[in-house]
Amino acid sequence: MAAKDGVFQDLAAAVRAVVVRAATGVGRAAVAGAGAQYNSLMSTLARFLEQHPTYAGTSALDQLRASEYGRLDTQGHTYLDYTGAGLHADSQVREHAEWLTSGVFGNPHSASPSSMAATRAVERARASVLAYFNGTDNYTAVFTLNASGALKLVGESYPFCPGGRLLLTADNHNSVNGIREFASAKGSSVAYAPLGVPDLRIAQPELTALLDAADRSCANLFAFPAQSNFSGVKHPLALVDAAQERGWHVLLDAAAFVPTNPLDLRIVSPDFVSISFYKMFGYPTGLGCLLIRNSALATLQRPWFAGGTVNFATVQGSLHVLAPREAGFEDGTLNYLSIPAVEIGLRHLERIGLDTIQTRIECLTDWLLTELAALRHGNGRPMVRLYGPASTSMRGGTVTMNFYDPNGHLFDYRRIDELAGLKGISLRIGCFCNPGAGETAEGLTAEDMRAAVSEDADITLPRFLQIMEHRSGKSAGAIRVSLGLASNFADVERFLKFAAGLRDQTTLIIGAVTFDVESCRVIRDGS
């Protein structure tokens, strides 16, 4: 009971801070009503703790939030985009800054004292990555610009050929989907394993049939995500062994999985694993990693060479000798000042413990799913459509949805994003670079795609959204809320309160979107 009382006090303090900020933010007149609001939140909190007793064991994360992520509450910010990017702890930046100011570090491609100091730091970080995933003896760690860079390395270097196959799943990030361009250019066939609805899990019978179709005499690559960045579904890691037994190399996209889940490469051994460090612990950005199983290393054949990747190169002789292991894949000069921060981030996660993070996220995700599904307009119609599993079984802390008005008309997800931003809530909208899962969730078809392109050859996301709405009332995107190690009950409640505020609203009332997302990189203000 003492542990539960302790976590209740921590949460009560967090909720009280939210209430006080909300009250003082609109003037003194609102303070009088804060007591009733606070009592209501405390009642909700008691109900949550009763339904999720294991949450009491995660109270250390409340203390961590106060000491390492205090800027969230100081600024009144509700951060719900951990699948987009993790948040860094204050101590990570301090420790890295202390390291930077403690020595002189130069370009690693030399034997000078400054160069050797940088090399030692990089290799310590490389060893820590392999140790973290239990791959020290059987894997090679290649540092890349990001997870997409890791995936591109596999795509450009894998020996695709006529008769070989690339098998993807409809639930893949675009950086995995892009590998099909390398495969097709070299004559390999490309196929997609579909998803089942409504849970958006890989359709197992169809996948098995596709895996069984491999020609073992050719090179075959199967790529899938350990956790969906669209729906939060955790796809079974047993697929790795199942595919390898059928003559496939396996590429596991673990970018959305490893921030909150352990990946033990002694238990599950994909041939290639892509990860992103800023999604794990927020800092540094601009760094990813490709983990290559040593037995598959010789399979990759680099189509070019660069500075840092060769032991020997000649202009007159027009030949080169590629460096062995990771050196042959790390193009140019490594980000040698940032890579040591990876070791700091991994230690940070180890101190917290992934079990604690998992427990908290599972409790909060279950509460979020249940409460969103229960939201109704005054006429009884549901306010929210959730994509993916309705429970936390084999799913992570990513919850994707769309909102609807009392007449069942879809709200523009971009306007919901705007309104959430006005409340200090950071979430994410769009298709999240995962078009296959979004298309399956909304029932978009190949005919829909052809119709959109036929209407506008220079199709953009806003234009596609318009066409789909007018054509069939379907959405071409959604709203994604994702939880991470610094998430707490107050964050979830603040979003639920925002969602409940859309009850009985219409587009006329909430207003139209004031910006267009022209591309992944360009946002245009329409005001």
Side-chain angles (χ1 to χ4, degrees), residues 148 151 169-178 225 229 253 279 432-435:
S148 295
L151 293 163
T169 69
D171 187 9
N172 264 331
H173 191 280
N174 268 341
S175 296
V176 179
N177 289 328
N229 70 305
D253 174 12
K279 292 193 176 185
F432 324 118
C433 294
N434 192 331

Side-chain angles (χ1 to χ4, degrees), residues 130-398:
L130 290 169
Y132 183 85
F133 294 108
N134 286 324
T136 300
D137 296 326
N138 299 311
Y139 281 80
T140 294
V142 177
F143 288 118
T144 61
L145 292 176
N146 42 41
S148 295
L151 293 163
K152 183 171 182 269
L153 271 180
V154 177
E156 70 180 12
S157 303
Y158 192 76
F160 294 114
C161 61
R165 294 172 180 262
L166 170 65
L167 176 57
L168 306 169
T169 69
D171 187 9
N172 264 331
H173 191 280
N174 268 341
S175 296
V176 179
N177 289 328
I179 295 174
R180 71 191 187 196
E181 301 305 309
F182 292 111
S184 296
K186 294 180 180 179
S188 288
S189 65
V190 178
Y192 277 91
L195 305 178
V197 290
D199 281 1
L200 302 181
R201 301 189 188 279
I202 299 172
Q204 291 293 329
E206 290 88 340
L207 174 62
T208 299
L210 288 166
L211 289 173
D212 285 339
D215 180 348
R216 289 174 176 267
S217 67
C218 298
N220 305 291
L221 180 65
F222 171 47
F224 76 100
Q227 180 172 310
S228 172
N229 70 305
F230 181 92
S231 66
V233 164
K234 294 180 184 178
H235 298 298
L237 295 182
L239 292 177
V240 174
D241 284 344
Q244 289 172 336
E245 290 169 359
R246 290 168 169 81
W248 296 80
H249 287 109
V250 178
L251 166 58
L252 183 69
D253 174 12
F257 181 78
V258 292
T260 56
N261 299 275
L263 177 62
D264 190 335
L265 295 177
R266 295 172 303 185
I267 296 174
V268 56
S269 301
D271 299 283
F272 316 105
V273 182
S274 60
I275 58 177
S276 173
F277 294 118
Y278 78 89
K279 292 193 176 185
M280 294 179 71
F281 35 74
Y283 178 85
T285 57
L287 270 177
C289 188
L290 175 65
L291 298 172
I292 307 173
R293 194 178 184 183
N294 290 338
S295 59
L297 192 60
T299 302
L300 300 183
Q301 303 164 5
R302 296 222 63 191
W304 79 307
F305 68 93
T309 65
V310 288
N311 281 349
F312 176 79
T314 171
V315 172
Q316 299 297 332
S318 190
L319 58 85
H320 71 277
V321 177
L322 202 66
R325 297 178 64 88
E326 68 276 352
F329 294 90
E330 292 176 339
D331 301 328
T333 300
L334 285 171
N335 192 346
Y336 59 90
L337 291 182
S338 291
I339 287 174
V342 170
E343 185 179 5
I344 296 169
L346 292 174
R347 284 201 301 266
H348 179 64
L349 283 186
E350 288 175 326
R351 283 193 297 267
I352 299 168
L354 288 180
D355 288 345
T356 301
I357 298 171
Q358 276 187 314
T359 298
R360 169 158 291 209
I361 289 176
E362 183 174 350
C363 293
L364 292 175
T365 302
D366 182 71
W367 179 259
L368 181 61
L369 288 168
T370 301
E371 295 296 301
L372 286 173
L375 289 177
R376 293 289 186 275
H377 290 290
N379 61 7
R381 286 193 178 217
M383 296 172 58
V384 182
R385 179 183 177 187
L386 295 167
Y387 301 108
S391 74
T392 55
S393 176
M394 283 294 288
R395 72 163 300 155
T398 299

